[in-house]
Amino acid sequence: GTVMDGGYWFTNLRSRVRFAEAVEKLAAEGHGVFVEVSSHPVLSAAVEESADNSVVTGTLRRDDGGLDRFHAGAAELWVRGVDVDWTVAFPDPRPATVDLPTYPFQRQHYWLADETAADTD
């Protein structure tokens, strides 16, 4: 409804941003996950400072864009307890999952045996 003329932009540029207040209000209302969608997430650190105990990540990085970087951001959310819908990223057939040990010192190796070392004897 409002016109974005020169006066609007002048006021917009000259007024305080109040970014920290906005993030603190969102955190107080129960929002605990913040994703900065940009090609260079420069505000993520400020969000982390303003919203304690929140999960904060970006989607892309400067000189590191693309789908792999985007998936890494989603994985960062997932390992920090955020529910991520992976069916969009990995349609059927889905990658196989592997059961990992629940105790870190089970003395069972999870890497492939070196076949070349056995052949040299």
Side-chain angles (χ1 to χ4, degrees):
T2 62
V3 177
M4 292 187 225
D5 58 2
Y8 167 83
W9 290 110
F10 176 80
T11 303
N12 190 342
L13 291 172
R14 298 293 295 168
S15 299
R16 289 182 12 189
V17 174
R18 300 172 61 184
F19 179 78
E21 293 175 33
V23 172
E24 289 168 359
K25 181 164 177 56
L26 287 169
E29 291 177 356
H31 298 281
V33 178
F34 296 88
V35 179
E36 184 175 356
V37 181
S38 70
S39 58
H40 187 61
V42 296
L43 299 175
S44 295
V47 173
E48 287 177 345
E49 289 179 12
S50 299
D52 293 333
N53 301 320
S54 293
V55 177
V56 182
T57 190
T59 53
L60 305 174
R61 304 273 191 267
R62 180 177 293 154
D63 299 326
D64 187 16
L67 196 54
D68 288 342
R69 178 67 240 168
F70 187 81
H71 285 159
E76 185 177 343
L77 292 173
W78 187 75
V79 299
R80 296 187 65 194
V82 178
D83 190 25
V84 175
D85 181 8
W86 291 109
T87 59
V88 176
F90 301 106
D92 290 330
R94 300 203 57 181
T97 57
V98 177
D99 289 329
L100 296 177
T102 56
Y103 183 72
F105 305 105
Q106 282 184 321
R107 306 280 187 240
Q108 184 176 359
H109 299 289
Y110 285 89
W111 51 81
L112 298 174
D114 188 4
E115 299 293 331
T116 59
D119 292 339
T120 58
D121 292 336

